Amino acid sequence: MAAGRLKIAAVQLQTRMGDVAANIAAAERLAEQAFAEGAELVALPEFFTGMIAPDETAFDIVLPVENAAIAMLRRLAAKHGGRIGGSMLLAEGGEVYNRYVLAEPDGTIHYHDKDLPTMWENVFYTGGRDDGVWETGVGTLGAAVCWELIRHQTLARMRGRVELAVTGTHWWTMPENWPAALRAPLRAIGQYNRYMSEQAPVEFARRLGAPVVQASHCGPLGGKFLLAPGLDAGFDYRTHFVGATQVVDAAGRVLASRSTAEGPGIVYAEVTPGTGEPVIAPEADRFWVPELPLFLKAYWHQQNVAGRSAYRRYGRARGLEAAERNSAL
């Protein structure tokens, strides 16, 4: 059962690719600030240990099961008597997962492995199978990571159970460095992609019947757009993060928001955790929550297949090697 009003902070980060120690330190500084301002629960973004895109240095952020990022979460939760969570790439049992980790003040740790990697994320990790719903000292919480927010299977595992959803994103947009003749047809897709990223926690809350907190990345990123499975060839892809760091109530009203264009920072809001009647009834026959244009569906499938091939051929091995190196952090 949820315990009254809860002051929440959501942290927006600008991370360095591959520099896991610097990214953990940056997250800790902003989280300390959030707790100092009275936050009882602090949300960090997906991959708060470092942005990812197909690039040699991006693999360097993979961590072992016991690692410096989780130690930081535990330390802050215990110090401030609060809760703090975010996701990281973590190696376990010969695979790499995108694991959301929530720490409680008594040292309890809760986990959720993102179920389906999104597009080029498939180069770095494989999906998990847990339901991501936890009993905590502030109620029943559910974890969702980035595009999990726009799929009905996420709502199916949470609806009627979760009193607050803790989420983080790493949501990029269309390329900025491709020739104008290629960028022009993608302009409308980019605008719709931005709209989806900003509305994802709102529409999720309206269908869940519980508040949602979402933490985002900001700034530029870039890597390789993979052309086909089995091939290492690709186009240089320079882009930036879109969306907003937000706290949304159960009716989908935005209580606090910081656009990714505003840079790193923190938003705060008070919510009352609880499980209520959703504003929008279940749509069980749909896979996606929003209407995805045909191009985005094709982009999703093509990059998923190409990324999974890269994970099998070299992504898993490079991640496991990085986790071994990072055991010394």
Side-chain angles (χ1 to χ4, degrees):
M1 182 67 67
R5 299 283 286 177
L6 189 69
K7 185 172 181 178
I8 293 178
V11 174
Q12 188 157 283
L13 285 177
Q14 183 167 349
T15 59
R16 303 178 190 176
M17 186 172 287
D19 195 344
V20 65
N23 296 328
I24 293 171
E28 182 167 10
R29 284 193 296 272
L30 284 173
E32 280 276 17
Q33 179 182 335
F35 279 123
E37 293 291 331
E40 298 165 274
L41 186 150
V42 176
L44 300 173
E46 178 184 30
F47 309 126
F48 75 86
T49 50
M51 69 177 95
I52 65 167
D55 181 276
E56 290 294 326
T57 62
F59 294 95
D60 292 342
I61 69 166
V62 180
L63 294 165
V65 171
E66 293 297 328
N67 62 64
I70 294 178
M72 181 270 285
L73 299 179
R74 276 196 172 111
R75 182 170 61 252
L76 291 186
K79 176 181 177 181
H80 297 284
R83 277 90 187 157
I84 179 170
S87 98
M88 64 195 72
L89 287 179
L90 186 148
E92 183 176 42
E95 298 286 356
V96 180
Y97 298 95
N98 177 6
R99 181 162 293 176
Y100 196 101
V101 180
L102 182 90
E104 297 209 65
D106 64 358
T108 300
I109 295 290
H110 304 280
Y111 300 108
H112 167 59
D113 293 334
K114 185 176 178 180
D115 57 359
L116 299 175
T118 300
M119 301 178 193
W120 67 31
E121 293 175 7
N122 284 274
V123 177
F124 297 92
Y125 68 93
T126 190
R129 294 180 175 83
D130 62 275
D131 75 351
V133 176
W134 320 307
E135 296 301 325
T136 77
V138 290
T140 306
L141 306 188
V145 186
C146 205
W147 275 37
E148 283 188 314
L149 281 167
I150 62 171
R151 289 188 270 108
H152 278 283
Q153 62 199 63
T154 311
L155 287 162
R157 67 178 168 85
M158 287 192 188
R159 190 186 285 114
R161 304 171 63 198
V162 166
E163 296 169 303
L164 171 68
V166 288
T167 80
T169 70
H170 176 274
W171 199 313
W172 67 92
T173 190
M174 298 296 107
E176 299 166 348
N177 62 316
W178 289 7
L182 293 176
R183 294 201 313 272
L186 299 178
R187 192 168 294 119
I189 295 294
Q191 291 171 345
Y192 187 71
N193 180 57
R194 180 185 297 276
Y195 170 79
M196 281 202 312
S197 67
E198 294 169 350
Q199 289 297 114
V202 171
E203 296 302 327
F204 192 79
R206 294 174 73 198
R207 289 162 173 80
L208 180 64
V212 176
V213 54
Q214 173 174 282
S216 302
H217 281 258
C218 60
L221 80 159
K224 185 190 294 184
F225 180 86
L226 302 176
L227 291 176
L231 298 178
D232 291 333
F235 297 128
D236 186 43
Y237 192 111
R238 300 291 138 183
T239 185
H240 64 279
F241 291 104
V242 292
T245 292
Q246 300 183 61
V247 181
V248 180
D249 73 10
R253 289 183 292 263
V254 177
L255 305 177
S257 179
R258 185 180 184 89
S259 165
T260 54
E262 296 178 75
I266 310 169
V267 301
Y268 302 90
E270 287 192 1
V271 302
T272 302
T275 304
E277 191 68 26
V279 173
I280 297 177
E283 302 159 291
D285 58 335
R286 292 170 54 86
F287 183 77
W288 300 107
V289 172
E291 291 287 348
L292 251 64
L294 181 60
F295 175 86
L296 278 179
K297 290 179 181 178
Y299 180 18
W300 156 271
H301 287 294
Q302 184 271 339
Q303 285 291 282
N304 285 353
V305 173
R308 284 194 292 269
S309 170
Y311 179 76
R312 290 192 299 269
R313 289 181 293 113
Y314 61 83
R316 178 196 291 112
R318 291 181 187 174
L320 296 177
E321 290 166 5
E324 182 66 26
R325 293 194 303 272
N326 286 331
S327 63
L329 285 178

